[in-house]
Amino acid sequence: MPELSALDSLAVRFDSETWICLDGDDGDPLITAVGSAIVFHPTFARSQNLPSQITPDQIQMVVAGWAEEDQTWHLGVLLEPDLSAQRGGRWCGFARWAESGGGDAESAGRALGGLLVRPFRLVAPTLPAEEPPSEPEVEAEPIALLPLPLDLGEWELVEDAVGLLCKESGTWRRSMLTRMLILGGLAPIFGYLSVGAITSVYASVQPEWLPYLGLIITAVLIFLAGTQAIALLRGVHAVIDQRSRMVRRLTRSGQVLVQTPFEGVEYVLATQVINRRQEESGARKGNTPIPFSAEVWIHVYSPRRGFILLSHSSDLSGIIMPEITLGQKHPLNLEEVNTPAHHAALHVAEMIGVPAYLDQR
């Protein structure tokens, strides 16, 4: 039975009937796989929020892949949705290797996949494409991403302990509170004057329906103040959780409205509607960015969950190239269009590891 030494004092042994991951410090088997099940050591099961054993039907695929964040090869499994929902994550890692080629991780992964009769996937590091030699030319420096936190008007993107947090900004909260107080303050005034006019022993107000209109306005003001209060209390925000590799949309109380694992996200989409743009002059037409403002939405797209909203900004200022063709989804390029929201979309895409696209409504 061959033995492959891994990081964290682990070792993997396997043959045609058994696959074992051992704790090299004391020799205890942390993971034991046979054709019909995978059995976990209680310590490992608790750390990964797993039952004591699972069946191959609960595993979607075995994956060995290179992780840029820690420069190691990871071996693990992608779990089926029901078990993923119970433990709060789809990915479960088994072992890591620091080797450059990934041979041990691939061998161990193929052996585990073959034993469990589950698909095996190798995720190799992305290599830069070779370009043919060309004439030397002076190129402009690529536009660097703005550092966090990013002010997106009604929203802001900040670094969180687990990744990124997209939440309502202090400006938005103060605006909502001010509206609530103004509407809530006007409501009793209209109500008092309307009731006073109806019950007055003096000559009635002309026209006579005016006090009743005041009562209707009072009810509308109370309703609008209530909607502002509910929006403040509900406080929906989005978390890009790098630790558990999940995208979640939550209420202020912590209730999960929708979530999807990083592996289920296909791309990040920045959708915009141009509110206004500066007219182009003949001298700068087509080759110089011009100021503009836009309404911008940021979503992540999952085939299973659909579009998950991260933020919506009603009026953001930036620059745009005059000759850009809008209307169809295409890769997001800061040299074509540039606002804080577009930087935020690229930050999110970079953390999840997916492309970012731009679309025009």
Side-chain angles (χ1 to χ4, degrees):
M1 179 180 290
E3 180 173 310
L4 305 177
S5 297
L7 295 176
D8 307 313
S9 301
L10 301 181
V12 175
R13 298 176 184 172
F14 56 87
D15 55 24
S16 60
E17 298 180 354
T18 311
W19 190 98
I20 303 173
C21 181
L22 299 166
D23 185 345
D25 291 333
D26 53 22
D28 287 340
L30 298 179
I31 307 165
T32 304
V34 294
S36 59
I38 298 182
V39 179
F40 301 110
H41 189 279
T43 302
F44 183 87
R46 285 193 301 270
S47 68
Q48 297 295 323
N49 196 22
L50 287 166
S52 59
Q53 71 175 45
I54 61 176
T55 64
D57 292 337
Q58 294 175 288
I59 296 173
Q60 192 173 76
M61 70 172 61
V62 180
V63 179
W66 175 259
E68 290 290 343
E69 57 267 21
D70 61 0
Q71 298 290 297
T72 60
W73 286 87
H74 289 243
L75 171 64
V77 295
L78 291 179
L79 303 172
E80 288 292 337
D82 290 342
L83 182 56
S84 301
Q86 294 176 16
R87 67 184 295 266
R90 187 182 177 197
W91 168 256
C92 179
F94 287 174
R96 301 184 304 136
W97 284 267
E99 58 180 349
S100 59
D104 287 354
E106 182 179 359
S107 299
R110 291 191 184 278
L112 181 60
L115 180 63
L116 300 175
V117 194
R118 305 308 297 162
F120 171 75
R121 179 183 176 189
L122 179 66
V123 182
T126 302
L127 299 177
E130 293 186 2
E131 297 183 358
S134 59
E135 292 293 330
E137 59 182 23
V138 178
E139 295 183 355
E141 290 291 330
I143 299 176
L145 287 179
L146 293 174
L148 298 174
L150 287 174
D151 182 0
L152 309 180
E154 296 93 330
W155 292 77
E156 59 184 353
L157 182 69
V158 300
E159 288 184 294
D160 188 65
V162 297
L164 298 177
L165 176 63
C166 197
K167 61 179 182 177
E168 296 97 340
S169 66
T171 302
W172 178 86
R173 289 192 291 271
R174 287 190 294 271
S175 174
M176 296 293 284
L177 181 60
T178 300
R179 293 178 191 173
M180 183 187 70
L181 293 176
I182 292 174
L183 294 170
L186 289 175
I189 295 174
F190 273 88
Y192 176 79
L193 293 175
S194 299
V195 172
I198 294 172
T199 59
S200 175
V201 296
Y202 301 103
S204 60
V205 176
Q206 297 299 323
E208 294 185 356
W209 48 264
L210 191 60
Y212 299 97
L213 177 61
L215 292 177
I216 294 174
I217 293 175
T218 301
V220 171
L221 291 173
I222 293 173
F223 172 77
L224 293 176
T227 59
Q228 308 298 305
I230 291 172
L232 272 172
L233 293 174
R234 196 163 183 258
V236 177
H237 60 277
V239 178
I240 316 302
D241 190 338
Q242 190 178 30
R243 187 176 299 170
S244 63
R245 297 182 62 80
M246 298 286 289
V247 178
R248 298 187 178 92
R249 186 167 166 83
L250 311 165
T251 64
R252 192 183 300 278
S253 62
Q255 178 186 359
V256 178
L257 301 177
V258 63
Q259 67 178 5
T260 186
F262 282 11
E263 292 80 6
V265 175
E266 281 195 2
Y267 57 83
V268 176
L269 182 65
T271 308
Q272 66 182 27
V273 172
I274 295 179
N275 296 333
R276 56 189 178 277
R277 59 191 291 173
Q278 179 178 303
E279 292 298 325
E280 312 161 36
S281 65
R284 50 185 293 174
K285 183 176 181 180
N287 56 11
T288 305
I290 58 175
F292 87 120
S293 67
E295 186 173 3
V296 186
W297 295 259
I298 301 176
H299 294 85
V300 296
Y301 175 70
S302 163
R304 184 179 178 192
R305 298 296 186 185
F307 288 98
I308 300 175
L309 177 66
L310 300 186
S311 72
H312 167 232
S313 304
S314 60
D315 192 15
L316 284 179
S317 298
I319 56 175
I320 188 170
M321 292 298 292
E323 77 276 11
I324 182 175
T325 301
L326 300 172
Q328 292 185 339
K329 185 182 77 175
H330 66 278
L332 175 56
N333 183 354
L334 293 178
E335 295 180 357
E336 295 180 338
V337 59
N338 189 328
T339 73
H342 298 94
H343 285 261
L346 289 171
H347 271 291
V348 173
E350 184 179 278
M351 177 163 288
I352 299 176
V354 295
Y357 293 99
L358 173 68
D359 194 12
Q360 175 80 10
R361 288 192 180 183

